[in-house]
Amino acid sequence: MKVLIVLPATVFANGLPYKTKRRWIMGLALPYMGALTAPHAEVELIDDRMDEINYDGPYDLVGLSVTIGTAERAYEIAAKFRKRGVAVVMGGFHPTLLPEECLQHCDAVVEGEAEYAWPELLEDFRAGRMKSRYKADRFHDLKNLPTPRWDLLDRRKYFVPYLPLQTTRGCPFKCSFCEVPIFYGGTYRHRPIGEVIEDIKRIPTGKVQVVDDNITGSHEYARELFKAMIPLGVRWSCLWTINTSRDAELLDLAVRAGVYHVNIGIESVSQKSLSSINKRQNRVKDYVEMLRELERRGIFYSLNFLFGLDEDTREIFAETMDFLKQVRAPMAFFNTVTPREGTPMRSRLIAENRVLNRMADRYLGMDCLFVPKNMSPREVEDGVWDCFRKFYSIPSIFRRLSTAPAWSYVTQGLPSNLIFWWAVRHRKDPVDYY
């Protein structure tokens, strides 16, 4: 049995897929699904953004890993294979949150985690009894996970040689705009440290992209993990919360373990706006000092911001830029808040009849899909672009990086800042380059 696993591309509003010859980093979905599939069948992996799909290939089954931003392209790919009589299965965040919609375009969906459901589906397909919906009756304990099949992808097509790895799954927090707590049932689990270390040892580049939603959700676990990573001499990037900076020992261990970049979702510089999305764990009054803790250790960081929250006013954009000037942040991402289907925030907006365009978050761009309380959707969109233009202007890049606390801020930040400067000048969302 031959199985094709495809990561569909994102699409523009005109329906055309976003195609590039290379992309910034490798995600985990393809190599991990390759590992889950390989014991049961011959498997081929395709990143639709960079590779052409052979619709006439000798495939028995096609699996699509689908997010909200790739759903439209996934439906197009599925239609072409099904027209040839090839069965198509969809899994990932979008099929989990909207299984009924996806089933209009495929033969089966896998809801939630794949470790138990996907092998069952493959066996049922082989026996000619595949059902339309598969969902595991329990969450995986994350023991004995297969090693991602990085070897099935061409690493030369990714600019950054950091290979993806997962150490924890889920998040202990429940921000109302985020689908992660929904997908993982509000759980936060971690892998056995010994198994993580063995996976890291197998990474040929010695560079790791930890894809966890929150690697420091348990400081106790993170502390032991970082200690175990120190002898390996690897370099790694991750996501963690800004509150990690409250734990000096943990920061020091992360540095010794080889951390080179952290991405932090601080979301807003307004405490009221943070409360409106149930992100009560963040304390705006502590932001400056907590970022200083990273600077003192030379930890390069990037910050995520959301705009259009219920307590946001037009002043939020200037307040955000003032904050970024104060801290001299090396990198930042600015976004309109786009609550996904199935999240508490999306459900509330629908109940309040404030959703303007349910499809806005399915296409490339930064459209505001709902009516904010204190601004118009256009004001939010224009404010986001204005933040990008100001933050990634040449004078801003020079000011921030010329006074950087560590040389690593320049070597790591300058190439990315210049790419973002180019993207903003051409009215392209810089995040699309990832």
Side-chain angles (χ1 to χ4, degrees):
M1 181 170 67
K2 186 164 185 177
V3 178
L4 174 67
I5 306 293
V6 180
L7 184 69
T10 47
V11 298
F12 296 99
N14 61 8
L16 293 177
Y18 179 53
K19 292 282 192 175
T20 58
K21 292 182 179 179
R22 301 176 73 185
R23 67 189 309 165
W24 204 251
I25 55 177
M26 182 189 297
L28 183 64
L30 280 179
Y32 188 64
M33 287 305 300
L36 283 179
T37 307
H40 305 270
E42 179 184 355
V43 61
E44 180 180 344
L45 307 180
I46 289 288
D47 186 331
D48 177 44
R49 175 164 152 181
M50 300 182 295
D51 304 317
E52 295 301 317
I53 299 174
N54 180 11
Y55 292 99
D56 294 319
Y59 307 116
D60 300 295
L61 182 68
V62 173
L64 302 174
S65 179
V66 189
T67 65
I68 185 73
T70 63
E72 296 304 303
R73 176 62 173 166
Y75 298 160
E76 177 185 351
I77 294 170
K80 291 181 179 180
F81 276 113
R82 296 179 84 198
K83 186 176 181 179
R84 292 185 50 244
V86 179
V88 175
V89 178
M90 294 184 184
F93 274 75
H94 191 59
T96 298
L97 296 175
L98 291 176
E100 297 294 346
E101 177 188 298
C102 290
L103 280 170
Q104 298 176 35
H105 303 276
C106 65
D107 299 285
V109 295
V110 173
E111 301 173 52
E113 297 178 331
E115 283 85 4
Y116 296 128
W118 180 240
E120 179 188 356
L121 182 151
L122 292 173
E123 289 302 319
D124 283 356
F125 177 78
R126 192 195 304 270
R129 58 172 185 264
M130 186 174 72
K131 299 174 293 189
S132 61
R133 298 176 72 162
Y134 288 83
K135 184 176 183 179
D137 59 2
R138 63 197 186 281
F139 290 105
H140 202 280
D141 62 9
L142 304 190
K143 295 178 180 178
N144 301 312
L145 297 184
T147 300
R149 293 293 305 275
W150 310 294
D151 59 299
L152 296 177
L153 292 169
D154 186 353
R155 298 202 310 269
R156 295 170 299 180
K157 292 186 176 182
Y158 300 88
F159 287 110
V160 180
Y162 285 75
L163 298 186
L165 181 77
Q166 188 173 61
T167 72
T168 68
R169 189 174 291 179
C171 181
F173 304 112
K174 295 178 174 58
C175 303
S176 64
F177 67 91
C178 184
E179 66 266 49
V180 169
I182 310 300
F183 187 90
Y184 294 116
T187 66
Y188 182 71
R189 290 158 287 150
H190 46 76
R191 298 179 59 195
I193 290 175
E195 294 180 19
V196 173
I197 296 303
E198 289 305 309
D199 270 0
I200 293 175
K201 289 178 179 178
R202 296 186 185 101
I203 292 179
T205 62
K207 296 177 173 62
V208 181
Q209 176 75 24
V210 180
V211 300
D212 304 14
D213 294 296
N214 183 358
I215 192 175
T216 56
S218 164
H219 284 207
E220 180 181 359
Y221 174 80
R223 190 174 288 110
E224 296 307 310
L225 174 63
F226 297 166
K227 289 178 182 177
M229 291 174 65
I230 292 172
L232 304 183
V234 296
R235 297 275 284 166
W236 51 279
S237 173
C238 70
L239 290 82
W240 70 35
T241 67
I242 196 167
N243 296 297
T244 303
S245 288
R246 300 184 189 280
D247 191 331
E249 179 191 6
L250 191 59
L251 292 184
D252 291 338
L253 285 171
V255 172
R256 292 175 60 198
V259 66
Y260 90 101
H261 164 252
V262 296
N263 179 251
I264 302 170
I266 66 173
E267 320 309 2
S268 180
V269 296
S270 164
Q271 195 65 53
K272 289 183 178 179
S273 293
L274 291 171
S275 295
S276 74
I277 55 173
N278 199 38
K279 202 175 183 84
R280 297 183 176 89
Q281 66 270 24
N282 282 17
R283 292 291 179 264
V284 173
K285 64 182 179 63
D286 298 331
Y287 279 177
V288 173
E289 180 54 34
M290 286 193 285
L291 293 176
R292 291 284 181 263
E293 291 293 330
L294 301 180
E295 290 184 358
R296 293 184 186 109
R297 294 165 174 82
I299 300 176
F300 184 85
Y301 66 87
S302 56
L303 304 176
N304 301 329
F305 293 91
L306 297 176
F307 297 101
L309 305 175
D310 277 356
E311 297 296 332
D312 283 355
T313 64
R314 282 175 289 183
E315 288 71 36
I316 190 66
F317 302 107
E319 293 168 359
T320 300
M321 296 310 297
D322 288 342
F323 167 76
L324 290 171
K325 288 178 183 177
Q326 179 185 4
V327 299
R328 298 170 302 166
M331 285 196 70
F333 303 94
F334 310 101
N335 299 278
T336 58
V337 60
T338 52
R340 309 304 191 199
E341 292 277 5
T343 62
M345 185 176 180
R346 183 65 164 256
S347 299
R348 178 172 56 80
L349 291 171
I350 292 174
E352 294 173 358
N353 198 31
R354 292 167 59 191
V355 175
L356 290 172
N357 181 359
R358 288 174 178 257
M359 304 292 285
D361 50 351
R362 300 195 184 196
Y363 301 101
L364 287 167
M366 293 183 288
D367 297 335
C368 185
L369 60 78
F370 64 96
V371 180
K373 281 193 173 181
N374 301 306
M375 288 182 280
S376 69
R378 181 61 181 271
E379 286 175 321
V380 174
E381 295 162 6
D382 288 347
V384 170
W385 278 111
D386 192 49
C387 286
F388 266 122
R389 281 191 295 269
K390 290 178 178 177
F391 188 79
Y392 289 106
S393 69
I394 294 298
S396 171
I397 294 173
F398 177 79
R399 283 194 303 269
R400 289 183 286 107
L401 297 185
S402 65
T403 58
W407 179 243
S408 61
Y409 278 42
V410 179
T411 57
Q412 294 181 47
L414 186 58
S416 297
N417 272 257
L418 291 177
I419 289 174
F420 278 35
W421 165 78
W422 181 91
V424 173
R425 283 194 67 192
H426 292 81
R427 191 77 176 187
K428 296 178 181 291
D429 182 355
V431 181
D432 294 339
Y433 289 90
Y434 286 83

